[in-house]
């Protein structure tokens, strides 16, 4: 399947934007270069509008104006079955959202058993109840092969350049390709198997269910407002955004993060309008500290088979940098410029917003993962997850409720290197391994630590080592609790 051009529109009419006039509200305007898949026609919605500035064979450079404070009301329609029946593009079975009569019957039977009666609910009520039920009934697989799959002739197949990546994701080496498709990429099979994968897979799963119920559904692709692997782009954004809540929401979401970041979720037709459905959250806003701070909508599809994900994002994710368009990092987007605007008729409240972040972290424990002080869930996670060279855990005291990425943000600013010291023995250098674990309620949080390779020969079994942080900032600082027990490596086996 050929990659879609950034100007190859889908043929449908874009959704009428309901956002306020620019001079009546607060807006952010960015210039972003986005690599395929991207369709500027899809980028005009309730929360943003876009215009193409330039294009090449791989990407579009687009000016995007966001309406971050806009929160549209969600309507509801009790006559949705009749009114929406003609929206066949978003109701019919398709290669990925492949519901059929048998699935429809089983779905309705299960809903009745759960106390949900589609015949007596408005579209809004149905979506809210069914999305919660659907996510709760299915378990998640940790495999991520869906970006290796494409749909030649409407049938799922492994994209040949990504064959090795696809096979690596098989949790059972005896599984066939079809069994993997059934776990992640085909909505009907996911329904009967009660399983879904990543956000991409979850969007297929939910779209299949809602189409079988008669709720028009589609999938949207979103990216952050800048490449979070590039500190220059991040600082450009923060320096040019003057609405305190907007700026700090993005900072809370993205500071300290890195890697390949994007998000796919659904839109459902509710109350005669397309409304975002993010897992079970109907009415997903554009400004959200849990989802990039500021979501940038770049593409919409009726069915996942229409998106050349394997040929574009899949190749970047599994094969970068080989033969991939170069921007600022592995991510297929980069921020070129940004500014904000308080409309002449707008007077939004803009009080100072304190930065929710850790400034001091106290080390309260140095543990092997199998130590009795380590909760079972943390020990199990360590065993079943690639260790990244982790040798021991550094448990910490401080925790901020409801703040994402706080541990990563802190170590980014405070530093990630330490010394293990013992009298009459050479110091041993240690760095954070990239692993961090948290119960999410402050009861246990820890960083993974690894001994630097060339210092391993300095370790002496049976010696009690104390840890000494190497702080790189006066604002963000590690400290060791006065009663911190030393780390003894008597039975330590790297």
């Amino acid at each position: 399947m050929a990659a879609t051009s950034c100007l190859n529109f889908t043929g449908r009419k874009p959704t009428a934007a309901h956002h306020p006039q620019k001079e009546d509200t607060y807006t952010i305007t960015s210039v972003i270069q986005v690599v395929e898949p991207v369709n500027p026609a899809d980028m005009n919605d309730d929360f943003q509008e876009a215009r193409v500035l330039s294009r090449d064979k791989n990407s579009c450079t687009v000016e995007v104006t966001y309406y971050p404070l806009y929160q549209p009301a969600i309507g509801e329609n009790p006559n949705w079955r009749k009114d929406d029946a003609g929206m066949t593009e978003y109701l019919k079975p398709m290669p990925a959202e492949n519901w059929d009569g048998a699935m429809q019957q089983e779905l309705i039977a299960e809903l009745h058993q759960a106390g949900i009666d589609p015949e007596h609910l408005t579209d809004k009520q149905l979506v809210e109840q069914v999305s919660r039920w659907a996510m709760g009934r299915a378990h998640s697989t940790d495999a991520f092969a869906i970006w290796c799959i494409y749909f030649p002739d409407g049938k799922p197949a492994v994209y040949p350049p990504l064959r090795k990546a696809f096979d690596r994701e098989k949790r059972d080496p005896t599984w066939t390709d079809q069994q993997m498709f059934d776990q992640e990429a085909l909505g009907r099979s996911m329904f009967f198997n009660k399983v879904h994968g990543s956000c991409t897979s979850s969007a297929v799963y939910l779209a299949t269910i809602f189409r079988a119920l008669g709720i028009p559904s589609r999938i949207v692709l979103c990216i952050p407002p800048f490449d979070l692997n590039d500190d220059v782009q991040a600082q450009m954004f923060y320096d040019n955004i003057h609405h305190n809540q907007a700026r700090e929401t993005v900072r809370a979401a993205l500071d300290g993060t890195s890697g390949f970041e994007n998000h796919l979720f659904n839109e459902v037709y509710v109350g005669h309008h397309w409304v975002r459905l993010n897992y079970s959250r109907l009415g997903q806003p554009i400004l959200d500290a849990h989802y990039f701070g500021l979501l940038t909508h770049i593409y919409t599809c009726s069915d996942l088979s229409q998106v050349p994900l394997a040929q574009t994002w899949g190749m970047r994710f599994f094969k970068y940098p080989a033969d991939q368009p170069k921007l600022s990092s592995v991510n297929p987007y980069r921020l070129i410029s940004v500014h904000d605007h308080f409309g002449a008729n707008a007077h939004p409240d803009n009080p100072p917003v304190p930065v929710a972040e850790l400034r001091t972290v106290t080390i309260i424990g140095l543990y092997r993962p199998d130590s009795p002080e380590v909760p079972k869930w943390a020990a199990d996670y360590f065993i079943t997850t690639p260790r990244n060279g982790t040798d021991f855990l550094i448990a910490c005291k401080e925790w901020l409720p409801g703040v994402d990425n706080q541990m990563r943000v802190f170590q980014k600013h405070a530093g990630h290197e330490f010394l293990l010291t013992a009298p009459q023995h050479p110091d041993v250098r240690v760095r954070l391994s990239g692993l961090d674990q948290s119960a999410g309620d402050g009861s246990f949080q820890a960083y993974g630590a690894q001994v630097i390779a060339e210092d391993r020969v300095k370790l002496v079994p049976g010696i009690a080592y104390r840890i000494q942080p190497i702080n790189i900032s006066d604002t963000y600082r590690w400290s060791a609790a006065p009663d911190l027990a030393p780390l003894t490596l008597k039975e330590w086996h790297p």
Side-chain angles (χ1 to χ4, degrees), residues 53-88:
L53 301 181
S54 64
R55 64 185 185 271
D56 58 34
K57 66 177 183 177
N58 294 312
S59 70
C60 284
T61 299
V62 185
E63 181 187 76
V64 184
T65 297
Y66 305 91
Y67 296 82
L69 305 184
Y70 183 54
Q71 296 183 346
I74 303 173
E76 55 188 321
N77 179 14
N79 300 312
W80 56 274
R81 286 190 176 276
K82 177 180 177 182
D83 293 347
D84 301 342
M87 300 180 67
T88 55

Side-chain angles (χ1 to χ4, degrees), residues 466-477:
R466 297 194 177 276
I467 194 164
Q468 176 181 317
I470 302 176
N471 285 304
I472 62 173
S473 168
D474 292 331
T475 303
Y476 307 86
R477 296 189 62 80

Side-chain angles (χ1 to χ4, degrees), residues 23 32 35 115 170-171 203 228 250 254 276 297 315 352 356 404 422:
E23 291 305 317
I32 306 175
V35 172
K170 292 181 177 179
R171 295 303 176 257
L228 42 78
V250 175
L254 297 182
R276 293 179 173 187
H297 175 197
M315 288 294 290
D404 291 348

